């Protein structure tokens, strides 16, 4: 069978559903690959690069749709493209079936099998096909770059001869895939980053990335993301009011706000209202990643950048992934390739549309002349994230001191008990053992004590603590061997020499390993 990729006809769309690299992987599955002339040019992939990868370059879109059994796209089919579908042909693309009922009926009438990449269920096994997450990751990263482009100041704080520059304060509203990508980018640029999400289980993820989680003093807990396909559930009116109150409190302090709150199939909730924009400082920036569905900000205009009366820039672009077309195309084509891998279990270039498979069934919206949307719930549910651990109660200095005293007393009691038991055992051994044995035994015990103190007091400034201890032990072994190596017995001399040799290897090896470990953290 042949899989083909036409050029996207929506204005401004620079992505492509197949790269030369993904075409090589598809050919290993047994498929012939084709692409329309110039389809990858906007993403930086030339027709020559595709030809070198064994891909047939077809001049017109009409010829490609006619020649291919499977058509892969980024955007859903436009009316002119839907007319080119035929019975039994498979279309793979973003589709948004809940918002495109007429298009769904048209594909059903044509008898085409449509796989919507936006309908891939969010279960562990399907992560490699989750195109929504792939594009959201890029959108979150690009949102921070666009914010920096419009901000006009540094993200990180600096102290220079010309004066002190404070770090930018960034608020990320929503900690899904896009939000986490934005958090990672903002913190890596040195900004003081805050993040809010209605799901309490993401607090640890946010804090682990170096951002501060914005807590609400409210009893309501959001519905578990596992029950809502990995997305946040709508909140109650009371929770929303508390949330907006918190945002009004934060607005005057924030330099950059990035909103990412959006659930597929629903309008974007209004979270950053006009009065919050008016409370922000002149020169601040709001980047609204939900602009395509109405926006989270009151002043957002889709596909435009506007400036409010008080000098706040609101960015409402809807094509963030397309603005990084090369990276987006690479990730999306990998999602397509993984979907084709599941559709081709025998790797023989023949599609096996297994409607018993959770992933394939979930993503299929029309099949054999029937509409199969919405799909049944997947048999394997998304793994729920663990709830964040309750923060430990902060102790007063007096309570901390009391705990330290109690721990010291317990430690002292254990030491006294062990010393008492040891003294009793030593006394008992002295009553029955010969005098020569006791002399050697006492020397042995004192040696262990002195050796322990010497070893554990070695400074590990040039080593890891473990390496410092092993090197100290090796040094004691060498000293003991040198004292014995002058013995008249050849056996003692041989054993002493071997001890010096092996302990020396351990010491030099310790320095070598430490050097390599330090080299791992040095910038080239």
């Amino acid at each position: 069978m042949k899989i083909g990729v036409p050029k996207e006809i929506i204005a401004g769309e620079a992505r492509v559903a197949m790269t030369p690299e993904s075409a090589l992987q598809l050919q290993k599955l047994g498929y012939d690959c084709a692409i329309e002339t110039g389809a990858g040019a906007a993403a930086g992939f030339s027709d020559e690069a595709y030809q070198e990868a064994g891909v047939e370059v077809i001049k017109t879109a009409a010829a490609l749709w006619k020649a291919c059994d499977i058509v892969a796209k980024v955007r859903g089919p436009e009316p002119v493209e839907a007319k080119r579908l035929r019975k039994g042909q498979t279309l793979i693309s973003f589709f948004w079936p809940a918002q495109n009922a007429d298009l769904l009926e048209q594909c059903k009438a044509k008898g085409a099998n449509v796989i919507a990449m936006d309908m891939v269920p969010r279960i562990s096994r399907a992560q490699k096909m989750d195109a929504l997450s792939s594009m959201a990751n890029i959108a979150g990263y690009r949102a921070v770059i666009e914010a920096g482009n419009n901000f006009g100041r540094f993200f990180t704080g600096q102290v220079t001869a010309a004066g002190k520059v404070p770090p930018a304060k960034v608020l990320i509203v929503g900690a899904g895939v896009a939000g986490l990508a934005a958090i990672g980018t903002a913190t890596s640029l040195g900004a003081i980053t805050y993040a809010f999400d209605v799901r309490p289980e993401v607090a640890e993820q946010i804090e682990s990335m170096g951002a501060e989680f914005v807590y609400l003093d409210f009893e309501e807990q959001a519905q578990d993301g596992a029950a809502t396909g990995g997305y946040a559930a709508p909140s109650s009116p009371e929770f929303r009011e508390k949330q907006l109150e918190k945002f009004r409190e934060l607005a005057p302090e924030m330099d950059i706000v990035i909103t990412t709150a959006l659930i597929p199939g629903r309008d974007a909730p209004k979270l950053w209202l006009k009065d919050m924009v008016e409370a922000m400082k002149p020169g601040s920036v709001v980047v609204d990643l939900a602009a395509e569905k109405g926006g989270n900000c009151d002043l957002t205009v889709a596909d435009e950048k506007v400036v409010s009366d008080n000098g706040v820039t609101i960015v409402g672009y809807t094509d963030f992934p397309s603005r990084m077309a090369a990276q987006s195309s690479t990730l999306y084509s990998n999602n397509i390739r993984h979907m084709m891998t599941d559709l081709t279990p025998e790797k023989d270039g023949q599609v096996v549309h297994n409607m018993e498979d959770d992933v394939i069934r979930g993503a299929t919206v029309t099949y054999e002349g029937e509409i199969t949307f919405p799909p049944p719930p997947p048999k394997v549910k998304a793994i729920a994230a663990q709830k964040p651990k309750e923060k430990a109660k902060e102790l007063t200095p007096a309570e901390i001191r009391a705990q330290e005293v109690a721990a010291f007393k317990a430690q002292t009691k254990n030491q006294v008990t062990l010393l008492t038991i040891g003294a009793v055992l030593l006394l008992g051994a002295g009553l029955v053992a010969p005098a020569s044995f006791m002399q050697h035994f006492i020397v042995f015990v004192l040696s262990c004590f002195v050796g322990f103190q010497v070893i554990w007091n070695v400074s590990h400034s040039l080593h890891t603590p473990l390496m410092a201890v092993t090197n100290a032990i090796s040094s004691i072994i060498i000293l003991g061997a040198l004292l014995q190596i002058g013995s008249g017995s050849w056996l003692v001399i041989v054993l002493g020499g071997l001890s010096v040799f092996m302990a020396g290897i351990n010491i030099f090896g310790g320095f070598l390993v430490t050097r390599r470990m330090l080299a791992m953290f040095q910038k080239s």
Side-chain angles (χ1 to χ4, degrees):
M1 300 179 77
K2 181 179 290 187
I3 178 169
V5 174
K7 185 176 180 179
E8 299 295 324
I9 61 177
I10 293 180
E13 181 56 72
R15 291 172 290 177
V16 64
M18 180 194 294
T19 64
E21 184 178 356
S22 70
L24 292 173
Q25 300 300 321
L26 290 170
Q27 289 168 26
K28 291 180 181 179
L29 294 175
Y31 293 101
D32 295 325
C33 298
I35 193 163
E36 184 184 349
T37 300
F45 304 108
S46 65
D47 290 344
E48 290 74 17
Y50 284 106
Q51 288 173 336
E52 290 176 3
V55 180
E56 179 186 358
V57 177
I58 299 177
K59 290 185 178 181
T60 65
L64 182 136
W65 283 84
K66 186 176 181 180
C68 297
D69 306 289
I70 306 161
V71 176
K73 283 177 47 59
V74 178
R75 299 273 189 161
E78 291 294 294
V80 66
E81 294 175 313
K83 289 178 181 178
R84 291 171 176 160
L85 285 168
R86 64 178 185 273
K87 185 176 181 180
Q89 193 173 34
T90 299
L91 171 66
I92 304 175
S93 72
F94 284 112
F95 198 89
W96 310 109
Q99 291 83 35
N100 292 298
D102 292 342
L103 184 59
L104 203 59
E105 288 289 345
Q106 190 175 354
C107 292
K108 169 193 170 183
K110 289 285 186 177
N113 304 325
V114 177
I115 295 177
M117 294 302 291
D118 49 282
M119 290 299 298
V120 171
R122 286 194 160 181
I123 59 177
S124 298
R125 185 170 66 83
Q127 287 180 356
K128 60 188 177 182
M129 304 168 230
D130 191 352
L132 284 178
S133 293
S134 298
M135 299 301 103
N137 182 25
I138 294 171
Y141 173 86
R142 182 70 187 196
V144 178
I145 303 303
E146 291 290 342
N149 185 45
N150 289 279
F151 182 45
R153 290 201 288 115
F154 291 137
F155 270 73
T156 185
Q158 293 190 12
V159 178
T160 71
K164 182 179 178 182
V165 179
K169 291 186 177 181
V170 179
L171 172 64
I172 315 293
V173 180
V177 176
L180 291 174
I183 291 168
T185 308
T187 54
S188 66
L189 289 174
I192 299 175
T193 308
Y194 302 86
F196 173 82
D197 197 283
V198 297
R199 298 166 296 172
E201 65 265 24
V202 302
E204 286 186 353
Q205 299 176 39
I206 290 169
E207 291 170 352
S208 70
M209 297 182 73
E212 181 179 333
F213 184 70
V214 178
Y215 286 93
L216 283 185
D217 185 15
F218 195 77
E219 293 183 357
E220 176 183 326
Q221 297 294 324
Q223 185 177 349
D224 194 339
T228 56
Y231 297 98
S235 305
S236 67
E238 295 79 12
F239 184 89
R240 172 178 165 78
E241 287 305 316
K242 195 71 176 180
Q243 177 181 336
L244 296 179
E245 180 184 333
K246 187 67 176 180
F247 289 164
R248 288 189 178 95
E249 178 186 329
L250 293 172
E253 303 176 20
M254 295 299 118
D255 298 302
I256 295 171
V257 176
I258 298 174
T259 62
T260 71
L262 183 63
I263 301 175
R266 298 177 185 168
D267 291 334
K270 295 297 181 183
L271 300 176
W272 205 256
L273 307 184
K274 183 180 179 181
D275 64 299
M276 300 174 192
V277 176
E278 292 172 347
M280 298 177 73
K281 295 170 285 190
S284 300
V285 180
V286 176
V287 181
D288 194 340
L289 290 180
E292 192 170 8
K293 297 299 179 182
N296 298 135
C297 178
D298 274 345
L299 303 184
T300 297
V301 178
D303 296 314
E304 292 185 21
K305 178 176 69 176
V306 298
V307 180
S308 68
D309 293 338
N310 61 320
V312 177
T313 301
I314 299 98
V315 179
Y317 300 149
T318 61
D319 60 347
F320 285 105
S322 189
R323 288 170 181 259
M324 299 183 67
Q327 186 66 74
S328 299
S329 299
T330 298
L331 294 182
Y332 182 68
S333 63
N334 283 338
N335 296 141
I336 294 285
R337 188 249 302 176
H338 286 303
M339 177 62 75
M340 294 306 303
T341 300
D342 272 27
L343 287 167
T344 320
E346 301 298 327
K347 297 183 179 181
D348 56 356
Q350 298 297 317
V351 170
V352 178
H353 209 117
N354 181 12
M355 294 295 276
E356 297 299 319
D357 185 290
D358 275 344
V359 179
I360 296 173
R361 174 64 187 89
T364 302
V365 294
T366 66
Y367 180 65
E368 294 184 345
E370 298 293 334
I371 293 177
T372 58
F373 171 81
K379 301 170 188 174
V380 181
K381 291 188 178 293
I383 298 175
Q386 293 183 352
K387 301 290 184 185
K389 298 177 182 177
E390 293 185 3
K391 289 192 171 181
K393 179 184 176 183
E394 293 186 4
L395 302 177
T396 64
E399 291 173 330
I400 294 174
R401 178 61 182 167
Q403 287 187 353
E404 291 176 348
V405 170
F408 177 76
K409 288 181 177 180
Q411 184 180 8
T412 303
K413 181 179 179 181
N414 291 336
Q415 290 175 343
V416 170
T417 302
L418 290 174
L419 287 173
T420 303
I421 294 173
V424 171
L425 291 175
L426 187 61
L427 180 62
L431 294 174
V432 296
S436 58
F437 171 81
M438 291 305 299
Q439 289 177 354
H440 286 88
F441 183 73
I442 290 172
V443 171
F444 172 75
V445 171
L446 289 175
S447 299
C448 290
F449 177 76
V450 172
F452 178 84
Q453 294 298 324
V454 169
I455 289 169
W456 287 102
N457 283 305
V458 170
S459 173
H460 53 267
S461 56
L462 298 178
H463 295 284
T464 62
L466 177 61
M467 202 68 70
V469 170
T470 57
N471 279 6
I473 294 172
S474 298
S475 300
I476 291 177
I477 292 172
I478 289 177
L479 288 175
L482 290 176
L483 291 174
Q484 299 297 324
I485 207 165
S487 172
S489 171
W490 66 270
L491 181 60
V492 173
I493 293 173
V494 171
L495 292 176
L498 289 173
S499 299
V500 171
F501 176 72
M502 288 185 288
I505 290 176
N506 187 61
I507 291 175
F508 291 116
F511 278 104
L512 182 61
V513 169
T514 302
R515 180 179 177 81
R516 289 186 176 181
M517 290 176 65
L518 292 174
M520 292 170 61
F521 299 96
Q522 292 176 346
K523 292 184 178 180
S524 55

